[in-house]
Amino acid sequence: MTAALDVQGLTTRFATRGDPVTAVNDVSFSVQKGRILGLVGESGSGKSVTGFSVMGLIDAPGEISAGKVLVDGNDLRALSDEHMRKMRGNKVAMVFQDPMMTLNPVLRVGDQMAMAVRVHRKMSKTAALEESRAALEAVGIPSPEERLQAYPHQLSGGMRQRVAIAMALLHSPSVIIADEATTALDVSIQGQILAEVRDLADTTGAAIVWITHDLAVVSSLADDICVMYAGKIVERGTAQQVIDHPRHPYTKGLLDSIPALHEPGKHLPQIPGSTPQLSRLPQGCPFRPRCPRASDICKTVPPADTVDGQTVLCHHPLERT
Amino acid sequence: MTDPILKIEHVSKRFTRMPGLAERLVGKVTGGGKPVTVHALTDVSLEVSQGEVLGIVGESGCGKSTLGRVVAGIYAPSDGSVTLHDKPVARTHGGNIDKLTTQVQMIHQDPFASLNPRMKVGETLAEGPRYHKIIPARDVQARMRELLEKVGLEGAYADRFPHQFSGGQRQRVAIARALAMEPEVLVLDEAVASLDVSIQAQVLNLFMDLRRDLGLTALFISHDLSVVRHVCDRVAIMYLGRLVELAPADELYADPKHPYTTALFASVPTVGTGKRRFEAIKGEIPSPINPPSGCAFHPRCPLAGPRCRVEVPRLTDAGTARTVACHLNDGGVDAKSEVAA
C-alpha cells in the first residue's frame, strides 16, 4: 500500500553568514492512512522545519536541498509553485501553534472558512458555509452556526484551535501536519482536542504528523514516533517500542528526565549540557558530548541507521528489552 | 507542622478596566460602557511554613499568577493581607505600593524577557543587593561569582551578556538574581515551563539542591502537575480565582477530592503507551469577568446538583491538613433547604 505521506532523504539548509546550516539532515519517514506519527524533539532539533519542508513552506535563505516528499505517491517537490499552491490546504494541510496568528482577525470565522473552501473548489458561498459548518461540528464545536458569525477574538483559545483544525479538514486532506498544536492550550482543553484528533484520524483516514516537544502527548496519541536531535531522526519505531523500550541514549535520557516517572523529591536523571548549535555540530555523532555511552568511534564516525524493526542512529544502542 | 511564616489571609484581587471614550459614547445609546471588573482572586487564604514548598496549580485565568504577584508585593491586594513573620510584604499608600519587602523574590517564566539584555549578568545580579545594602560594597563582586557557581555556572560568566547564554543558563541566572537578595521566600511563576525537557530536569534538580542547602520556602506556581508533584510538599488547586482544594502532595495525587482536581488529573497526558482515551473535562473555562453562579465549576462538573448552582461552596476539612471547597464534602449537592436543618 502506498503511504499517505512518504518522506525520503529530506534535507533542508539555511544560508547564514558563515557556512550553511543543515536544519533537517537526511530525514526519512512515512505515515499510512489514518495513522498518527509523533515527531518529537527539543528546540532546534529541526522538527518544525521538517513540517514546513513537507508543506513546501521554506523561503530564502532556506532551501530544500535534497529528498522527496511523496503524498499518495506524488512527489510534491517535483511540482511547480502553482501546482504546489493547489496542493497546500487541499491535499496537505497544516495546523500551527498559535491560532491567533493563523486566523484572520478582521474576518468572521465563516467568511474565512468559506474562502478557504472556494479557493480549491468551485461552489456557491452558501454551500461553502454549509461545508464550514459541518467541519466545525466535526471538531466538536457547539452551536457551529453561531460560531460562523463570530470573529476570532470572540472565541477562546481552545475554540480558535478547533477552528484552525476544522479549516485544515475542509478538503479532506491526505496529510495533516500539526506543529505544537496544543502546546499553548490548557490541559483540560488539550485533552479534549487530542481525543478529537484521534477520532479524526480514525474516521477521516487522514495521515497526521503531530510535531511536539511533549513526549507525554505523543505517547498517548501517536501510533508511531520519530525522535529528532540536531536535524536527524535518531530513533524511529512504534509508540510502544520508543516509549517502553527506547534504544537511543538520547530518547532514554529524555524519558528518564520526566518527573512523573520518579519518586517525588528525588534527583532527576538529567542529560548534561545543552542542545548543540547546528552551526557548530561536533564531528561524528552530534549527541556524543552529552552521551553516557559514547566511545572513541563516536568522535569521528557519524552513526548509521541500525534497523531491526526500530531504527536507531547510534553506535551503541541500548539492548532490546 | 511548624508555625507558618507566610500568611495569605482572605486575599481578593480585582482589576477594573474603565471604558474608553468611544465605549462610553456608544454606551450612552446602548446602555453599556460600564467599567468591567475581573475577579482575579476571591478570598484566598493560605499559610506556608518555614522550609515548605507550596505548589499552586490551575489553568489559565485561575488566578495563580496574580496570587504569586500579590505575595511578592507586586500587586496590592484589593482585600485581605499577605504577611511574612506577621509583617505585611508591602506597605500601600492610596492603593499603590510604596515600600516592599526584599524578603520575597520572584522568578519569572521567561528568562529571555526577565533579564536586561544590555546589562552584564554580574551587574544584573549586583543591582538589588547593592541598592538595598544587603552585601557590603567591597564584597559584591566576590559574592556574585559565588552565586553563579552556586547555580551551576562559572564565576567568570559575570562579565557576559544574557544573549551569550542558553535558555537553561538564563533561568539559572534568574534564580541567582533572586537568591542575591537573600530572600526568605521565593515565588516561582512557571519557572521551568519554557525550558526543554532535558533542561527542565537540570533546573528542577538545581532548585531541589538549593532548597535543601538554603532551607528555602517557596510558592511554586505551575500548570504542570507532574513537576509540581516532584518538588512540592503541599499543593493548592485553584479554579477561577478561588482555592478549590489544598492537600499534602502525596495525598492529593493518590486521592483527589474535588471533582475539578479529579478531572484535571484525568486530562493530563502521561508517558506510557496503551491506547488510553483522554478523559477530557467538558466545556470551556468560564471568563473571570462573568463567573458562573454558585460553584464556579458547576457547569462542567459531572457531579453537580441544584445546590451548586446557587451556593458558593466553602472550604471544609477533608482529612488531616486537607481542605476542599465542594458541596459533596459539605452536606451534598441537593437543594439547600434540605441541608439547612
Side-chain angles (χ1 to χ4, degrees):
Chain A
M1 191 172 86
T2 321
L5 175 65
D6 191 5
V7 174
Q8 298 171 1
L10 185 68
T11 302
T12 304
R13 289 188 183 162
F14 288 87
T16 64
R17 257 179 276 176
D19 294 330
V21 164
T22 309
V24 176
N25 191 351
D26 193 13
V27 158
S28 304
F29 58 87
S30 65
V31 196
Q32 301 290 339
K33 263 179 75 118
R35 304 272 285 182
I36 301 179
L37 173 82
L39 193 58
V40 189
E42 298 185 285
S43 337
S45 61
K47 58 187 190 303
S48 291
V49 178
T50 303
F52 285 116
S53 302
V54 170
M55 294 294 296
L57 291 174
I58 299 293
D59 261 337
E63 179 210 7
I64 301 173
S65 55
K68 285 183 177 171
V69 177
L70 304 169
V71 171
D72 297 328
N74 305 314
D75 189 0
L76 296 188
R77 288 205 56 225
L79 299 177
S80 65
D81 285 356
E82 184 56 33
H83 272 97
M84 187 59 214
R85 194 152 48 236
K86 287 187 177 150
M87 295 294 275
R88 216 180 279 131
N90 191 1
K91 282 281 152 209
V92 289
M94 189 154 183
V95 180
F96 300 88
Q97 172 164 352
D98 183 353
M100 211 52 209
M101 307 280 283
T102 50
L103 298 177
N104 188 332
V106 300
L107 287 185
R108 293 178 197 274
V109 166
D111 290 342
Q112 50 190 307
M113 290 186 78
M115 199 186 285
V117 174
R118 303 211 298 166
V119 162
H120 293 297
R121 276 183 284 161
K122 267 204 154 85
M123 60 165 70
S124 71
K125 186 163 179 198
T126 322
L129 278 172
E130 173 50 31
E131 290 226 349
S132 310
R133 195 200 58 78
L136 290 182
E137 197 161 31
V139 295
I141 291 187
S143 42
E145 293 84 6
E146 287 167 37
R147 304 298 179 196
L148 287 175
Q149 296 301 315
Y151 288 96
H153 75 266
Q154 295 173 305
L155 306 178
S156 67
M159 280 299 160
R160 277 182 221 140
Q161 196 60 294
R162 283 197 174 88
V163 171
I165 294 173
M167 283 179 93
L169 289 172
L170 284 173
H171 299 284
S172 316
S174 302
V175 177
I176 299 174
I177 313 268
D179 187 4
E180 301 277 13
T182 57
T183 307
L185 305 177
D186 278 310
V187 278
S188 70
I189 308 300
Q190 168 173 281
Q192 296 170 356
I193 290 189
L194 292 180
E196 277 148 22
V197 167
R198 184 68 253 180
D199 282 348
L200 288 172
D202 298 341
T203 53
T204 68
I208 297 177
V209 179
W210 194 266
I211 299 172
T212 181
H213 69 287
D214 192 331
L215 278 165
V217 165
V218 288
S219 75
S220 35
L221 176 73
D223 301 298
D224 302 288
I225 293 179
C226 290
V227 180
M228 286 192 77
Y229 188 79
K232 283 194 169 272
I233 289 178
V234 296
E235 180 156 11
R236 174 171 63 228
T238 64
Q240 199 170 8
Q241 286 171 333
V242 173
I243 299 293
D244 295 346
H245 310 287
R247 302 203 47 210
H248 196 285
Y250 175 62
T251 316
K252 176 93 172 101
L254 273 187
L255 285 165
D256 280 350
S257 59
I258 294 173
L261 306 176
H262 298 276
E263 200 183 321
K266 290 280 180 299
H267 242 245
L268 296 166
Q270 61 188 43
I271 304 177
S274 53
T275 41
Q277 288 193 353
L278 290 172
S279 54
R280 271 181 262 147
L281 284 185
Q283 263 205 319
C285 173
F287 187 57
R288 194 259 311 156
R290 308 175 72 189
C291 183
R293 299 171 74 87
S295 70
D296 281 346
I297 187 175
C298 308
K299 283 183 192 159
T300 49
V301 184
D305 283 348
T306 321
V307 188
D308 43 359
Q310 190 168 354
T311 307
V312 190
L313 199 67
C314 182
H315 289 299
H316 309 291
L318 284 89
E319 294 305 309
R320 299 189 90 165
T321 45
Chain B
M1 198 162 80
T2 50
D3 283 343
I5 58 167
L6 179 73
K7 290 184 190 157
I8 301 164
E9 289 170 298
H10 302 291
V11 164
S12 295
K13 178 68 189 172
R14 294 178 291 274
F15 294 97
T16 304
R17 189 180 71 91
M18 300 310 281
L21 177 66
E23 286 166 292
R24 270 180 290 154
L25 290 175
V26 173
K28 287 222 189 288
V29 181
T30 61
K34 305 249 166 19
V36 177
T37 302
V38 177
H39 296 264
L41 287 176
T42 308
D43 194 20
V44 173
S45 296
L46 286 166
E47 295 185 334
V48 189
S49 307
Q50 174 76 48
E52 183 183 41
V53 176
L54 175 65
I56 312 278
V57 176
E59 299 182 282
S60 321
C62 75
K64 57 188 192 298
S65 290
T66 304
L67 179 64
R69 290 173 178 207
V70 170
V71 170
I74 297 171
Y75 291 153
S78 307
D79 296 307
S81 65
V82 180
T83 54
L84 182 64
H85 294 300
D86 298 321
K87 291 198 202 80
V89 293
R91 195 178 73 194
T92 54
H93 184 78
N96 298 314
I97 288 163
D98 72 345
K99 195 171 191 313
L100 188 59
T101 179
T102 59
Q103 288 301 302
V104 183
Q105 288 296 319
M106 192 148 181
I107 297 167
H108 300 271
Q109 170 167 358
D110 183 359
F112 288 76
S114 66
L115 297 175
N116 186 334
R118 290 165 189 273
M119 273 169 97
K120 290 179 178 168
V121 302
E123 283 304 305
T124 295
L125 294 183
E127 199 180 22
R130 199 176 270 150
Y131 179 81
H132 289 284
K133 301 189 174 60
I134 287 170
I135 302 160
R138 64 177 188 292
D139 297 342
V140 167
Q141 292 303 327
R143 175 78 180 129
M144 294 312 119
R145 278 159 203 277
E146 191 186 310
L147 272 169
L148 285 172
E149 280 161 24
K150 190 173 260 161
V151 297
L153 299 171
E154 286 173 36
Y157 288 2
D159 291 329
R160 293 194 184 181
F161 288 95
H163 74 263
Q164 293 171 292
F165 293 92
S166 67
Q169 288 175 319
R170 283 184 216 210
Q171 200 58 305
R172 288 171 192 266
V173 173
I175 293 172
R177 176 175 61 182
L179 295 177
M181 299 297 286
E182 304 185 351
E184 270 202 78
V185 177
L186 283 184
V187 176
L188 299 97
D189 188 3
E190 297 280 11
V192 296
S194 64
L195 304 176
D196 274 319
V197 198
S198 69
I199 308 303
Q200 179 177 302
Q202 295 175 1
V203 174
L204 287 176
N205 283 340
L206 170 67
F207 174 71
M208 291 188 290
D209 288 344
L210 291 170
R211 182 198 169 182
R212 194 188 53 230
D213 297 346
L214 309 174
L216 289 174
T217 306
L219 279 191
F220 194 97
I221 299 166
S222 177
H223 70 285
D224 188 325
L225 289 158
S226 66
V227 167
V228 165
R229 182 173 71 159
H230 201 78
V231 300
C232 298
D233 303 308
R234 279 191 309 150
V235 179
I237 306 278
M238 294 184 66
Y239 189 76
L240 269 194
R242 288 176 192 270
L243 190 62
V244 297
E245 182 158 12
L246 174 67
D250 47 349
E251 290 180 37
L252 184 77
Y253 283 80
D255 177 24
K257 300 276 193 209
H258 197 285
Y260 174 63
T261 316
T262 313
L264 195 59
F265 286 174
S267 62
V268 176
T270 47
V271 176
T273 47
K275 283 283 164 280
R276 194 174 74 84
R277 298 292 309 177
F278 296 98
E279 297 164 50
I281 310 180
K282 296 195 177 34
E284 298 270 318
I285 303 167
S287 157
I289 295 173
N290 199 2
S293 63
C295 172
F297 187 56
H298 87 258
R300 306 175 78 190
C301 181
L303 305 172
R307 189 181 171 200
C308 307
R309 281 195 284 279
V310 289
E311 189 185 340
V312 178
R314 20 173 226 147
L315 278 167
T316 48
D317 286 342
T320 353
R322 289 192 72 161
T323 50
V324 61
C326 179
H327 291 312
L328 286 171
N329 194 52
D330 190 22
V333 295
D334 295 329
K336 195 182 173 185
S337 53
E338 300 167 34
V339 190

